[in-house]
Amino acid sequence: MLIDCPHCGPRDLAEFSYQGDATRTRPDPASTDTQAWLDYVYNRPNPAGRHREYWQHTGGCRAHLVVERDTLTHEIHAVAPVRGNAKSGDAA
Amino acid sequence: MVERASPLGSDFRPGSYGDFANGAEVTILELDRAGIVEATAWPGQEKALCEALAGACNLRLSAGSGNGAANREGVCAFNIGPGRFLVSGPRETLAGQLESAVPDTIGTVTDLSHGRTVLGIEGPKAEWVLAKLFALDFASAAFPVHSGCATAHHEIAVQIQRRGEKRFELYVSRSFARSFANTLRRAAEDVGYTIK
Amino acid sequence: MSPRRTSAGGSIDRTRTIRFTFDGEAHTGHAGDTLASALLANGVSLVGRSFKYHRPRGVFSAGVDEPNALVTILREGVREPNIPATQIELHDGLRAESQNRFPSLAWDFGALNQLGGRLLGAGFYYKTFMGPVAGPLKGTRFWMMCEHVIRRAAGLGRADYEADPSRYEHMNAFCDVLVVGGGIAGLMAAEAAAKAGKRVILAEQEKQTGGFARWSGETIDAKPADAWAAEITARLSALDNVRLLTRTAVWGYYDGNTLAALERVNDHVARTPKGHPRQRHWTIRAGTVVLATGALERPIVFPGNDCPGVMLAGAVRRYAGEFGVLPGEKTVLFTNNDSAYQAAAAIRRAGGHVAAIVDVRKQIGDEATALATEAGVVPLTGHAIVGTKGGKALSGAVVQAFDADTGRLSGEARPIDCDSLAVSGGWQPVIHLASQAGGKPVWDAEKQAFLPPEPTQRWIGAGAFLGETGSVEALASGRNAGLKSADKRPSRAKLPETAPSALDLTPAPVLEIRGKGKAFVDFQHDVTADDVRLAHREGFVSVEHLKRYTTLGMATDQGKTSNVPGLAIMAAARGIEIPQAGTTRFRPPFSPVAIGALAAERYGDLKPERLTPLHDWHEEHGAEMTPAGLWHRPLAYAGAGETVEQAYIREASAVRRSVGLVDVSTLGKIAVKGPDAATFLDRVYTNTFSTLKVGKARYGLMLREDGLVFDDGTTWRLGETDFLMTTTTANAGPVMQHLEYCLDILWPDLKVHLTSVTDQWAGAAIAGPKARAVLERCVTGTAVDNDALPFMGIVHGEIDGAPVMICRLSFSGELAYEVYCGAGHGVHVWEALLEAGEPFGITPYGMEALGALRIEKGHVTGAEIDGRTTARDLYLDGMLSKKKSFIGSGLMDRPALIDRNRLRLVGVVSLDGQPLGGGAHLVESGNRDEPGDSIGHVTGYCYSPALEKYIGLALVKGGKTRHGTRAFLSDPLRKRFGQVEIVSHHFFDPDGERMHG
Ligand SMILES: [Zn+2]
C-alpha cells in the first residue's frame, strides 16, 4: 500500500504509523466531564467503509496526515496534512 | 580543538570489498561535515527561512518539498519536512552562524553536528545499491541533483541528498551509523565497492 | 545416448553434457535441460511419492504448475525441499533427492497407506484427532500417539534443521509499465510501451523469454517463433528504458499497484558467487501492469490418472519441442479439445510413436484430423480413458466408449498398450494476479474457463490470459496492451505475421470420467474426486469450505491443475453450474517463496544495533553488553575471575563510598524550542515548567490521556525559549511521537519545534561523594561548587578542551552530575573524567549497579511505569499539579484509578538471605504448594551493598498500608519460595541528604 504524503509524495506504508481515529475531538482541557473524556479516549465508531484516520509519516517528514480510507477495500480517497503548511513554501 | 571520533569503528577502513573482480562499481566513504544543522520555519515563514539560509550560506535555496542546493564551499542544504531543512558544511561554526541568521520570528535552529553521520555513495551502481534499502525512486527524473528527502531503512531514519548524477549523501543518526554502514556495505557487495 | 532423447531438435545444447545425481545415482543431461526433462530423458519415470497414500508419482507438467515432481535440492550444505523438478535448471553438480519415501523411492513402507485409503479420506484429521469419546480408549491419549505416527508418514519434503546460509536481498523498483510474462504477448506489450518512451520492466519466470514460442514450432515473420522471440528480446535488452528480468516470478499483486516478484538469481548454478544473492525479492511499484501471464492446461480426472507416465499434453509437446525428449515410446493422448492433436503431431515430428488419440468429443474438425493423420492415427472419438495399468510406470491405458452429453460409459473396456499418456482438459488463463488485485473471475461457459475479472487496479490483460489461444491474437492484444499502457490508441500498423490456427481449443465440458479406482483432482495433496463428493455429502458445499476440508488446492502448487476440475466435480455433485458453485479468490504467493527471500537483509539478529559513543570503550574494558531495546549497554565490567554479581556489587559500593561513572548516552533527548515551549511543557507534564529558571532542570512526569503514567525524566531550561527534555531510554521514540501528535493535532497554534538530539550528545553520570572533587579537577571555564552548581543547576564549561554541559542531578541518591558533550567527543571526555577521578578510585559502572543504586533509592523505571500504574500508585501524586490541566488530568481521578486497594509501590526485603526474582508474585500464604491469590509482584531486585541484603521493589495491593508486614515470594518457575518483609521503597538515605550535600 502506498500513502501519498502531501509533503513527500507517494511512500510505502512501512514509513507511516497509524495514529488513530481523526473524527474525535478532545474535550476542553479543563473539562471534568468524565464521560466526554472516556468517549474521547476509548469509544470509536469503527465504520465499515470510508473513515478518517490520522497517520504520521514517521519514516519521512514526520508530519501528521488525515487519511480518508475505505476500511473495506483499503482504498485511499484523500490524504491531507493536519497542519496547513505540509507543502512547505506553498503557504508562504 | 578536540578531534571528533568516527562512530564507524575499525572495520570501516579503506580497501576494496565484495565482488570487485570487474572493478568496484561504487565508492563508499564517511564525509567530514563539521557542521550539521536543522533549521525549521514557523508556519508561513518557510520562504523567509530559505532566504535567511541562502543568504547566510551563499546557497540558491528555494522553499518547497525536497528542494535542495549546494555551493562551492561545500555547504549544502535540503528540505526534509514541512518547513524543515538540513544544512551541512565543512565548518564547526555553522550552527552559530545560522543561529544569528535565523531570528526567532522566522524559526529555530538546532545543532546536530555530532548527532549525524554522513555517508557518501558514488558510482555507476549507486542507485542500484540504494534501491535495495529504500523504497524510493532514485531515477534522476524523480530525484534530481541537489534534491533530498527524509526516509527510513526499517528502524533507521535516513535523510538523503543527491549531490550528482551518480552521487548521494546519506545522513544517519550517529548511534545507528555503524549498523547502517554495515547494511550499506553488504548491499554493495554484489557490485563491488571501495571504501575511501 | 539417453533412451528417450531425440537425435535432433529442441533448444538444448547437445554439445554440453551436464552431470547430476538423483537419489545418489549419477545421470547426465544437456545444457538447457530442466531436472524434469533430464530425468525423463534418462527414462526415470518415478520421481516421488504422494502426500498421504505414498503412491508413486512422475513428472506431470513442464512448468510452474507441477504438482507431483517435487524434489529436495542439496546445495551448499543445505537441503531445500519441495522444489518442482520442472523449474530446476540442470547444472553441473546438481544433487536432487526424491521425497516422502522410506527406505527408498521404489520400496516404500508408507505405500501401505494405500490399503487404508478409505480411512484417510476427506476430513480425516478433523474426524480422527478429536480424541476417543467412547470405547476402551476413552480418556486415553492413544490418538495423540497415532497422530505422531501419521504426521510422520504424511507430508512432502523434510526441511533442514540448519540455518539457511543463503544470501537474499530486497530490491525496490519503480516503472511506468510492468509486463508480467515474457511470451509473445508480453514481448509485444513491452516493446510498444518502451517505444512510447515508458519505463518498462518485463518479468519472465523462466530462464528466457518467448514462452510458448520457444517450443511451439510456429513461424512468426517467416522465422521460427523462438528465433523471432529472441530477436525482439535482444531489441528490448538494448533499450535504456527497459529492464528485463528473467527467472523472475511475479507472485503477489497488492494495493496501490505494488507487486512482489522473486528473482532466482543464482539457483541455476552450483554455487552462488561471493557477494551475490541466491534470490532477490523485488517490490515493484508500477503505473500500469500488463498481465500477459498466459494459460495453463488442465487435466481430465479419471481413475488411475496419477500413474507415472500420465502427463499434460502441452507438457509432452514442450518436452519434445524444447528439450528433444519423448516421455515414452508409445504415447496415448486423451483430450476434450484440439490441443492434444498438436502434441500428437509434435511427438511424431520428434520421431516418437503415437498409439492412439482418445477424444471425448463425437466429432472433430479438419485441422485436428489432419494433425492426427500426421501423427499416424485415427482418433478414437466418443471415447474416454477409464483406467491405467502399471504401478511405478505406466504400461497401458483402458479405453471405453463415452457419451460426452450424458457422461455415460458403454461397451467394452479395452486396454491400449502404452508407456505415456498425455491428457488435455482445455486451458485455464492464469488469472491469479488479477484475482489478487481484486475482483471476481468470470466463468465463460463457451470457453469453459474462468476469465479475468474487471480490473479494480490499473492493469491491462494480453494474450492467452484473456482466454485467447492463438498466436495471432496474442501478438495483437500484446501490442494493444502496450500501447494502452502508454495512453496510446491501438495501432493499425502491420503486426508480425503468423499463420492463424483453425484448431478448436474450446473444450467439451468434460473434466471427469467416473469409474473404479482412485481418480485424483489434487495430486499434491492426494485429494480424489470421491473426496470432493464426500465433502459435499457431509455438507461442505461452499468452495471455501471444500478447500479447507479436503485441502484441495492448498498445496505448494496452489491448485494450478486442480482448481477448475475440483469446482466442476463439486458443481456436478450439487447439480448446478460451475459459476454457481463459486470461484475461489487467489491469494499470494502465485508460486512458493522462501522465507529467507522475504527477510532478505534482515538476517542474523534482525534488528540494527544502536551504539553509544562509548561502545568500543566499554567492550575494550571488559564490559558484558546487554541489549536495551536496540541499544547495547554495559551490564557490568567484570574483571578476571569476577562474576557479574560480584562486579556490580563492587561497582555500586564504589559509588556509595567514593565515585563512579556510568554511560547515560542512551537517554532520549529532545530539543523543545520556541516562544510557546514552556506552555507546551506545562500541558504535557503533570507538573509546571513555565516557572523553571533558565539554567535549571526539573524532574517531570508525563501521563497518557487515560490517566496512567507514560514516562518520566528531567527537562533542562537552557534558554528562555529553549528546553532540553530527557526521556527514558525505552520511551524516547514514543515520547517524541506523542509530543509531535500534541503539537500537530491538539495544539497546532503553539509555536514549538521539536528535534530529537539523542544522538547529538554523549552523556556520563558521575556519582558518589567524590563526584564534585573529580569535576573540580577537570572542568574549566566554570565553577562547580555548590553555589555555582546547586542541585538541579546547569553549567557550561570544558573538559580537556571539549565543550560540556553539566547538570547536577541524581538517580543514585549520591551527589551526582550528568556531564554532556558532543557525541564525537564522548570517549575524550569520559577518559578525562576517569583520569581526574583516578586519585579517588573512580569506577565505571554498568546497568546492574545502576539498577541496584536506584532500587536502594526507590526510583521507578520502566518496570514500575509499566502502562498500568498511576502517579498515585508510585507515590508520585505530589507531582500532579492542581493549578492546571495537563494530558491525563481528565481521566486520572476515575474511581478505579484512585482505589485504595490498587497495586502500589513498596520495598521488599528477602528474609531468607536468598535473591528475589523479577516478576515473582507475592502471596500471603506460607504454604508453598497452595500459595493462594497474588497480592502483587516484584518489579526489580538486587543485592544491596549498602544494606547488605537482597532487596527489591514491588507493586503490592494497598501499598504503604502493608509496610512492616510479611509476605511470601512465590516463584514456581524458578523454584523459589521464601519469606519477605514489606517496607518503604526508600531503602537508603530517605531524606536525600547525600545528594544535596
Ligand atoms: Zn511525508
Side-chain angles (χ1 to χ4, degrees):
Chain A
M1 196 161 100
L2 296 172
I3 294 180
D4 193 356
C5 173
H7 182 77
C8 308
R11 294 288 186 91
D12 193 86
L13 176 68
E15 289 193 359
F16 297 83
S17 30
Y18 180 69
Q19 293 287 336
D21 187 346
T23 62
R24 63 200 171 128
T25 41
R26 192 167 185 259
D28 180 88
S31 167
T32 53
D33 180 351
T34 307
Q35 191 54 49
W37 282 107
L38 290 174
D39 284 344
Y40 170 65
V41 173
Y42 295 110
N43 291 335
R44 298 285 177 277
N46 192 24
R50 283 203 183 197
H51 190 36
R52 280 159 55 85
E53 299 166 335
Y54 289 128
W55 287 77
Q56 188 187 6
H57 193 186
T58 33
C61 66
R62 297 200 68 91
H64 282 84
L65 314 171
V66 178
V67 175
E68 196 176 322
R69 188 176 71 94
D70 192 308
T71 59
L72 292 175
T73 63
H74 303 313
E75 194 178 344
I76 292 175
H77 296 285
V79 185
V82 171
R83 279 175 180 255
N85 71 337
K87 270 258 181 245
S88 55
D90 298 359
Chain B
M1 190 66 63
V2 178
E3 205 184 316
R4 232 183 257 176
S6 162
L8 298 179
S10 52
D11 282 349
F12 194 84
R13 55 173 175 267
S16 290
Y17 301 89
D19 182 5
F20 57 89
N22 304 315
E25 294 185 273
V26 291
T27 300
I28 296 174
L29 66 165
E30 185 185 6
L31 297 165
D32 188 17
R33 290 289 155 79
I36 304 171
V37 179
E38 193 173 288
T40 314
W42 301 119
Q45 297 296 320
E46 294 83 359
K47 249 183 186 154
L49 177 70
C50 278
E51 281 160 16
L53 297 176
C57 304
N58 187 25
L59 287 170
R60 299 163 70 94
L61 187 64
S62 59
S65 307
N67 283 356
N71 70 18
R72 287 181 183 185
E73 287 79 50
V75 179
C76 51
F78 60 103
N79 177 270
I80 55 167
R84 199 170 281 238
F85 287 83
L86 196 63
V87 189
S88 76
R91 275 186 244 288
E92 233 172 64
T93 50
L94 183 67
Q97 190 189 342
L98 295 185
E99 260 163 40
S100 11
V102 179
D104 52 15
T105 50
I106 287 179
T108 58
V109 166
T110 301
D111 185 8
L112 292 172
S113 303
H114 285 263
R116 299 286 179 269
T117 300
V118 192
L119 294 166
I121 178 165
E122 186 170 8
K125 288 287 187 182
E127 280 181 33
W128 170 262
V129 173
L130 292 178
K132 296 183 188 186
L133 307 182
F134 304 103
L136 291 177
D137 189 350
F138 287 103
S140 42
F143 202 139
V145 174
H146 293 326
S147 69
C149 72
T151 182
H153 176 69
H154 299 291
E155 294 88 347
I156 306 176
V158 184
Q159 281 114 34
I160 306 176
Q161 186 178 26
R162 186 181 210 127
R163 291 297 303 276
E165 196 48 45
K166 302 286 172 203
R167 187 171 143 224
F168 296 85
E169 293 179 359
L170 315 175
Y171 294 72
V172 289
S173 290
R174 188 188 204 276
S175 58
F176 280 123
R178 193 179 300 181
S179 225
F180 181 75
N182 288 338
T183 301
L184 184 66
R185 291 175 65 171
R186 189 177 158 87
E189 279 180 19
D190 65 336
V191 295
Y193 67 96
T194 304
I195 290 183
K196 273 197 178 145
Chain C
M1 173 59 69
S2 303
R4 297 278 164 78
R5 186 80 74 178
T6 61
S7 51
S11 53
I12 49 161
D13 182 354
R14 285 163 206 266
T15 63
R16 281 183 58 205
T17 298
I18 308 284
R19 285 166 214 292
F20 69 102
T21 67
F22 180 64
D23 280 344
E25 198 177 320
H27 296 280
T28 61
H30 291 300
D33 261 327
T34 63
L35 175 61
S37 69
L39 286 173
L40 289 170
N42 281 280
V44 178
S45 59
L46 173 63
V47 294
R49 289 273 174 178
S50 76
F51 184 70
K52 270 202 295 201
Y53 305 119
H54 289 240
R55 288 167 72 102
R57 291 283 166 82
V59 174
F60 189 70
S61 78
V64 69
D65 47 343
E66 178 59 36
N68 276 346
L70 302 185
V71 299
T72 294
I73 297 299
L74 305 163
R75 187 170 180 269
E76 298 184 60
V78 179
R79 38 186 313 125
E80 187 179 17
N82 302 341
I83 311 295
T86 51
Q87 292 211 285
I88 298 164
E89 293 175 42
L90 205 66
H91 54 264
D92 266 316
L94 174 73
R95 287 168 63 206
E97 277 183 1
S98 60
Q99 300 182 159
N100 201 24
R101 79 289 189 268
F102 177 83
S104 76
L105 188 54
W107 301 103
D108 174 42
F109 277 140
L112 292 171
N113 278 1
Q114 289 177 59
L115 303 176
R118 237 173 245 281
L119 277 174
L120 290 169
F124 168 73
Y125 285 92
Y126 304 119
K127 290 168 189 161
T128 310
F129 296 132
M130 295 188 296
V133 290
L137 296 171
K138 184 182 172 189
T140 71
R141 301 203 158 199
F142 176 72
W143 64 273
M144 290 176 100
M145 198 186 86
C146 295
E147 184 185 10
H148 186 69
V149 172
I150 291 163
R151 283 224 188 271
R152 223 169 47 171
L156 297 168
R158 183 162 56 80
D160 210 324
Y161 288 96
E162 302 301 315
D164 181 357
S166 312
R167 178 181 184 133
Y168 302 90
E169 72 182 27
H170 265 206
M171 183 59 80
N172 293 288
F174 294 76
C175 61
D176 300 315
V177 182
L178 168 65
V179 181
V180 185
I184 57 174
L187 289 167
M188 288 296 287
E191 190 169 49
K195 277 184 176 163
K198 297 292 174 188
R199 263 204 294 176
V200 177
I201 295 177
L202 173 65
E204 163 56 47
Q205 63 187 352
E206 300 216 342
K207 67 171 190 269
Q208 69 195 78
T209 53
F212 192 66
R214 282 161 55 204
W215 60 84
S216 69
E218 289 179 320
T219 303
I220 302 177
D221 268 354
K223 293 179 225 61
D226 57 343
W228 177 88
E231 278 177 22
I232 182 171
T233 303
R235 286 201 300 277
L236 287 169
S237 310
L239 295 175
D240 281 344
N241 57 332
V242 176
R243 174 176 266 159
L244 266 178
L245 295 174
T246 53
R247 301 188 174 98
T248 304
V250 177
W251 57 262
Y253 196 139
Y254 296 92
D255 293 331
N257 255 24
T258 301
L259 291 95
L262 183 74
E263 182 184 3
R264 298 185 314 279
V265 190
N266 280 302
D267 280 356
H268 61 291
V269 292
R271 193 160 283 280
T272 303
K274 179 176 162 272
H276 291 257
R278 173 172 100 98
Q279 296 179 344
R280 185 177 287 132
H281 168 59
W282 289 78
T283 305
I284 303 169
R285 280 126 186 131
T288 304
V289 177
V290 174
L291 293 174
T293 47
L296 289 172
E297 198 169 20
R298 344 175 263 233
I300 298 173
V301 177
F302 56 89
N305 61 341
D306 67 330
C307 185
V310 180
M311 204 181 279
L312 289 167
V316 171
R317 188 176 172 196
R318 181 170 178 186
Y319 284 117
E322 182 178 352
F323 304 103
V325 171
L326 292 167
E329 281 171 25
K330 280 173 285 181
T331 303
V332 168
L333 295 109
F334 177 35
T335 189
N336 64 6
N337 70 92
D338 281 359
S339 55
Y341 293 79
Q342 294 172 309
I347 291 166
R348 188 73 199 123
R349 282 174 210 149
H353 174 69
V354 176
I357 300 177
V358 179
D359 196 322
V360 298
R361 298 173 296 176
K362 286 197 182 79
Q363 275 168 351
I364 57 165
D366 292 345
E367 195 164 342
T369 309
L371 287 169
T373 307
E374 188 188 341
V377 286
V378 177
L380 274 169
T381 52
H383 277 72
I385 301 288
V386 296
T388 57
K389 290 185 179 298
K392 289 161 198 157
L394 188 75
S395 60
V398 184
V399 65
Q400 203 175 357
F402 176 76
D403 184 327
D405 297 328
T406 62
R408 210 165 290 142
L409 292 161
S410 58
E412 206 184 329
R414 55 192 175 83
I416 310 175
D417 208 24
C418 65
D419 58 356
S420 161
L421 175 52
V423 185
S424 177
W427 296 82
Q428 170 55 49
V430 178
I431 54 173
H432 298 65
L433 293 176
S435 167
Q436 289 176 24
K440 246 187 171 170
V442 184
W443 177 256
D444 186 308
E446 165 72 24
K447 290 181 168 151
Q448 286 284 300
F450 282 105
L451 298 187
E454 280 298 305
T456 52
Q457 298 203 48
R458 291 183 310 279
W459 62 257
I460 302 163
F465 164 85
L466 295 171
E468 300 162 349
T469 42
S471 295
V472 174
E473 292 86 350
L475 292 165
S477 69
R479 186 172 74 185
N480 283 343
L483 290 168
K484 197 174 166 197
S485 72
D487 301 316
K488 292 220 178 323
R489 293 149 62 97
S491 162
R492 285 206 210 108
K494 207 163 85 53
L495 281 161
E497 259 176 51
T498 185
S501 164
L503 286 172
D504 184 6
L505 301 190
T506 303
V510 174
L511 283 169
E512 187 201 1
I513 308 298
R514 292 181 71 168
K516 279 182 80 173
K518 276 195 167 61
F520 285 86
V521 185
D522 183 327
F523 294 99
Q524 205 171 109
H525 264 170
D526 265 2
V527 180
T528 66
D530 282 341
D531 287 333
V532 176
R533 280 185 281 271
L534 176 64
H536 166 251
R537 284 199 304 278
E538 293 182 351
F540 294 90
V541 293
S542 143
V543 174
E544 296 298 330
H545 289 161
L546 170 74
K547 275 180 72 176
R548 280 150 189 82
Y549 191 57
T550 60
T551 72
L552 174 83
M554 294 175 77
T556 66
D557 65 341
Q558 292 261 295
K560 291 184 180 66
T561 54
S562 64
N563 275 329
V564 175
L567 266 175
I569 292 165
M570 181 53 108
R574 292 177 63 190
I576 55 177
E577 296 297 314
I578 284 181
Q580 276 98 56
T583 69
T584 97
R585 169 122 190 218
F586 292 102
R587 292 185 176 82
F590 169 70
S591 48
V593 180
I595 298 284
L598 299 177
E601 79 283 0
R602 303 278 280 181
Y603 61 99
D605 214 9
L606 289 177
K607 298 274 186 184
E609 292 178 339
R610 244 187 131 170
L611 308 179
T612 81
L614 297 161
H615 183 83
D616 292 341
W617 189 96
H618 298 317
E619 290 203 319
E620 284 156 18
H621 290 78
E624 183 175 326
M625 302 302 285
T626 182
L630 297 178
W631 289 101
H632 289 252
R633 307 187 69 180
L635 192 62
Y637 304 82
E642 208 178 23
T643 65
V644 167
E645 190 180 61
Q646 286 164 343
Y648 89 73
I649 291 170
R650 170 179 54 75
E651 292 167 11
S653 309
V655 172
R656 296 266 180 250
R657 190 184 64 244
S658 178
V659 62
L661 193 63
V662 64
D663 181 1
V664 294
S665 306
T666 61
L667 287 182
K669 294 173 276 292
I670 300 168
V672 182
K673 291 183 179 180
D676 296 321
T679 311
F680 175 64
L681 293 173
D682 281 351
R683 294 187 193 180
V684 296
Y685 276 124
T686 64
N687 48 331
T688 308
F689 280 79
S690 47
T691 54
L692 184 66
K693 295 208 162 43
V694 172
K696 293 282 275 183
R698 184 168 284 171
Y699 175 71
L701 188 70
M702 273 184 213
L703 304 188
R704 310 188 307 212
E705 285 279 25
D706 63 5
L708 297 169
V709 178
F710 178 27
D711 199 53
D712 66 345
T714 57
T715 286
W716 313 5
R717 191 167 201 166
L718 303 176
E720 195 55 39
T721 61
D722 181 3
F723 291 82
L724 177 67
M725 173 188 285
T726 68
T727 74
T728 57
T729 299
N731 269 338
V735 168
M736 184 68 176
Q737 264 194 294
H738 170 70
L739 300 182
E740 287 170 329
Y741 181 93
C742 292
L743 278 180
D744 266 359
I745 292 167
L746 304 185
W747 313 307
D749 50 317
L750 290 187
K751 279 174 93 173
V752 178
H753 285 151
L754 304 169
T755 307
S756 167
V757 290
T758 301
D759 289 54
Q760 168 74 1
W761 302 98
I766 181 163
K770 300 292 181 204
R772 184 185 292 136
V774 176
L775 293 186
E776 278 166 346
R777 281 172 57 90
C778 63
V779 176
T780 56
T782 176
V784 293
D785 59 75
N786 199 41
D787 293 336
L789 188 49
F791 188 60
M792 287 295 185
I794 301 164
V795 294
H796 296 265
E798 279 192 0
I799 291 180
D800 196 16
V804 295
M805 179 162 66
I806 304 172
C807 181
R808 180 170 158 198
L809 47 85
S810 178
F811 193 56
S812 57
E814 297 299 325
L815 173 66
Y817 303 84
E818 280 184 9
V819 180
Y820 279 16
C821 64
H825 297 155
V827 174
H828 181 83
V829 169
W830 175 271
E831 287 183 334
L833 285 166
L834 287 177
E835 197 184 317
E838 214 175 344
F840 311 102
I842 191 168
T843 304
Y845 62 102
M847 299 310 299
E848 285 291 314
L850 186 81
L853 294 165
R854 74 101 187 173
I855 290 170
E856 287 178 343
K857 283 298 295 174
H859 284 315
V860 294
T861 63
E864 293 80 29
I865 301 178
D866 65 354
R868 294 174 294 183
T869 46
T870 67
R872 285 184 188 82
D873 295 341
L874 305 175
Y875 296 102
L876 294 171
D877 27 330
M879 306 208 44
L880 306 174
S881 170
K882 294 192 176 62
K883 294 183 191 145
K884 58 162 185 141
S885 52
F886 47 85
I887 296 269
S889 60
L891 287 178
M892 68 181 183
D893 291 331
R894 281 179 286 165
L897 297 190
I898 54 174
D899 188 288
R900 295 192 159 275
N901 216 22
R902 285 180 64 82
L903 298 178
R904 303 186 72 183
L905 185 65
V906 297
V908 286
V909 177
S910 167
L911 294 180
D912 58 7
Q914 298 295 313
L916 305 167
H921 280 272
L922 295 169
V923 296
E924 287 173 320
S925 158
N927 182 342
R928 182 177 188 143
D929 299 324
E930 305 262 346
D933 288 344
S934 168
I935 58 164
H937 59 271
V938 174
T939 55
Y941 78 100
C942 67
Y943 178 79
S944 162
L947 280 70
E948 299 184 331
K949 301 181 213 191
Y950 283 99
I951 62 168
L953 295 177
L955 291 166
V956 168
K957 278 182 188 168
K960 256 183 191 172
T961 60
R962 289 188 190 260
H963 284 184
T965 68
R966 294 191 169 191
F968 294 88
L969 180 89
S970 175
D971 194 357
L973 275 180
R974 282 170 287 208
K975 297 188 170 54
R976 169 91 175 92
F977 192 85
Q979 201 171 29
V980 297
E981 185 180 0
I982 296 175
V983 298
S984 162
H985 57 285
H986 300 294
F987 289 97
F988 182 73
D989 185 27
D991 300 325
E993 283 163 13
R994 296 173 73 93
M995 69 180 181
H996 290 286

